Amino acid sequence: MNKRIAIPILALILLLIDFYAFEAIRVLLAPLSASIQSTATYGYRGLSVITIICLFAYHFIDPQVLGKRARTIIMVFIFTIYVAKTFLILSLVLDDIRRLLFWIWAESTGSPYAAERSFWMIFIGGILALFTLAAISWGILIGAHDYAVRKSTVYLANLPKAFDGFKVLQISDVHSGTFWNKNAVAKGIELIKEQKADTIFFTGDLVNNVADEMEDYKELFGQLEAKYGVYSIFGNHDYGDYVYWPNKEAKEANLRKLANIQKEMGWDLLINEHRILEKGGEKIAVIGIENWGAKARFPKYGDLSKAHKGTEEIPVKLLLSHDPSHWLEQVIPEYPDIDITFSGHTHGMQFGIDTKRFKWSPVKYVYQQWADLYKQGEQYLYVNRGFGYLGFPGRVGIRPEITVITLKSGRA
């Protein structure tokens, strides 16, 4: 549908939602004075008008004129307002169901029918709406850059003694196109540098769609270095599959530019290939493949057979593969000699509960392995929760992650 038709229709739908949600506001204001009711009513209506203006601005003002930050603020503002109103509407719907049942009962028995709304049912919806506003605000202002350093020790029976204690640092899913606070990101970079890792792995999705998103951040991420190198791979968003390109050549040029940016940052981009790390005369292999997703809508650009070839005699192999579904689908059944797979992709959905004793996110119903360390037989998978964020520019309950894994010889 043409945008000039679709957006006015959407605006009308939002106004109808606002009109219905105001019924909840009216109930909640009833116990208060007339002056407070009047002020709150005008405030609510003004907020509705501002929201519709923002909707039109987002879709009809040239993005270059409006600016990325303003567009992000508008998107988050609209999203937050209507997620909160969802709870008001839910409370109204439940109350309408209650009133309907009472009406049916009154009609069938000849009893008097009281049509008043339940203040306490609406009150609970209001509390949930306020909690949602607070959680989203916290997730943007604090949670988006509340970096967590998560440390694990992995024991490998075949690890050469020279690599005992070797420290691998992993970050994933930067999504630089969504960043809104460069100073906060810089603090995350400093935290990475403080870990003094032997090697650094980046497991894909450097940008949302286009290479230009990294222009303001390549100097910052270029500060990352390690004695045994910084290695990276492409994730599904790096290919530009989710935006319009005038032709195939433009899309390919964008991917080449993104590869060159990583080279400028000093990162070694692995495109279905491997590198041999040598220490004290002993070796381990770092294998990196392009995106390979077992879910139908994600591309299978990766070629593990090509990347793996030449590493057969290396005792320990570390694989960088963006999508964790690759582990069960191909790595486990076909490559038993790959010791650890490093993935990202899920972001932990940027929402959930993540404690030492309990871990939950809606993304678990899509990805069996969605965060932390997993083991099957003698093979491991680590799924990083992501350094950045996509869509919603924040995180609630699932902190952005810097992973540090120490390799040890022997068995746990």
Side-chain angles (χ1 to χ4, degrees):
M1 185 183 295
N2 187 287
K3 186 165 68 173
R4 295 185 181 278
I5 298 174
I7 300 307
I9 291 175
L10 176 59
L12 179 60
I13 293 172
L14 294 182
L15 286 173
L16 291 174
I17 290 173
D18 288 351
F19 180 80
Y20 185 49
F22 181 72
E23 177 69 9
I25 301 297
R26 186 188 64 77
V27 173
L28 295 173
L29 291 175
L32 305 178
S33 67
S35 61
I36 293 177
Q37 291 184 40
S38 178
T39 301
T41 298
Y42 281 117
Y44 180 87
R45 290 172 177 169
L47 185 63
S48 296
V49 171
I50 291 171
T51 304
I52 298 304
I53 291 172
C54 286
L55 176 70
F56 278 91
Y58 185 88
H59 287 282
F60 291 110
I61 296 179
D62 189 322
Q64 299 298 323
V65 175
L66 192 58
K68 185 174 75 172
R69 177 168 292 190
R71 286 174 59 83
T72 299
I73 292 172
I74 289 173
M75 178 186 67
V76 171
F77 171 71
I78 296 174
F79 171 80
T80 303
I81 291 297
Y82 283 96
V83 167
K85 286 180 180 179
T86 298
F87 290 100
L88 293 178
I89 291 170
L90 180 61
S91 68
L92 288 170
V93 170
L94 292 175
D95 192 42
D96 283 336
I97 293 173
R98 178 192 66 84
R99 295 165 72 205
L100 176 62
L101 292 175
F102 273 108
W103 178 82
I104 294 172
W105 179 81
E107 286 292 310
S108 63
T109 61
S111 303
Y113 168 62
E116 290 83 4
R117 284 198 175 276
S118 168
F119 175 83
W120 291 108
M121 187 174 286
I122 307 302
F123 180 77
I124 292 171
I127 293 297
L128 290 174
L130 288 175
F131 176 79
T132 300
L133 286 172
I136 291 176
S137 298
W138 186 93
I140 295 170
L141 299 176
I142 306 297
H145 305 107
D146 185 22
Y147 301 103
V149 178
R150 298 182 181 273
K151 298 183 179 182
S152 298
T153 299
V154 173
Y155 288 84
L156 301 176
N158 295 327
L159 185 71
K161 292 297 182 182
F163 285 91
D164 189 65
F166 193 76
K167 190 185 293 186
V168 177
L169 186 146
Q170 180 196 9
I171 58 172
S172 191
D173 298 271
V174 164
H175 289 286
S176 58
T178 318
F179 282 150
W180 57 270
N181 188 336
K182 192 172 183 177
N183 290 334
V185 175
K187 291 180 180 179
I189 296 297
E190 288 302 315
L191 194 55
I192 294 172
K193 291 159 65 176
E194 288 173 10
Q195 306 311 308
K196 300 188 183 305
D198 292 300
T199 188
I200 296 174
F201 294 164
F202 172 70
T203 48
D205 280 1
L206 191 59
V207 297
N208 293 344
N209 295 300
V210 297
D212 287 343
E213 294 169 17
M214 270 303 292
E215 286 299 330
D216 290 340
Y217 289 93
K218 65 181 182 181
E219 182 178 350
L220 194 58
F221 281 86
Q223 296 176 20
L224 300 182
E225 55 184 23
K227 182 177 180 180
Y228 290 89
V230 179
Y231 301 94
S232 63
I233 57 172
F234 286 140
N236 57 294
H237 276 267
D238 294 321
Y239 298 97
D241 286 342
Y242 309 121
V243 291
Y244 169 78
W245 298 98
N247 50 58
K248 181 181 177 181
E249 290 72 24
K251 183 181 179 183
E252 292 174 349
N254 176 72
L255 191 61
R256 286 195 300 271
K257 183 174 182 178
L258 188 59
N260 288 333
I261 286 173
Q262 296 188 46
K263 183 176 180 180
E264 291 171 12
M265 295 192 304
W267 295 11
D268 189 353
L269 177 63
L270 303 179
I271 304 178
N272 300 323
E273 53 192 324
H274 67 264
R275 300 288 184 266
I276 305 299
L277 307 188
E278 188 168 348
K279 183 180 182 184
E282 297 182 295
K283 300 175 181 180
I284 63 174
V286 176
I287 301 170
I289 69 163
E290 295 191 71
N291 192 80
W292 197 105
K295 306 297 180 181
R297 64 192 184 95
F298 292 114
K300 289 182 173 66
Y301 295 125
D303 186 342
L304 185 50
S305 63
K306 178 182 177 182
H308 181 273
K309 188 176 181 180
T311 68
E312 292 82 359
E313 303 304 317
I314 305 299
V316 164
K317 302 172 184 66
L318 312 179
L319 172 66
L320 282 63
S321 179
H322 178 69
D323 192 319
S325 64
H326 183 214
W327 189 59
L328 285 182
E329 189 74 14
Q330 186 183 47
V331 177
I332 292 293
E334 298 180 26
Y335 295 89
D337 60 340
I338 290 179
D339 299 273
I340 311 177
T341 300
F342 294 85
S343 298
H345 185 59
T346 71
H347 301 206
M349 207 172 174
Q350 298 168 213
F351 171 80
I353 301 170
D354 196 2
T355 68
K356 289 183 178 180
R357 295 188 177 183
F358 183 73
K359 183 174 64 175
W360 176 88
S361 168
V363 78
K364 71 172 290 184
Y365 304 113
V366 181
Y367 286 90
Q368 186 175 343
Q369 292 81 28
W370 61 274
D372 236 321
L373 186 66
Y374 301 86
K375 184 181 181 184
Q376 184 164 311
E378 296 301 315
Q379 293 178 274
Y380 292 88
L381 166 70
Y382 195 93
V383 184
N384 180 283
R385 295 162 177 82
F387 186 85
Y389 34 84
L390 178 67
F392 172 58
R395 288 172 172 263
V396 179
I398 303 292
R399 297 170 66 186
E401 178 176 357
I402 298 164
T403 307
V404 179
I405 291 183
T406 301
L407 305 182
K408 297 290 290 183
S409 300
R411 298 183 183 275

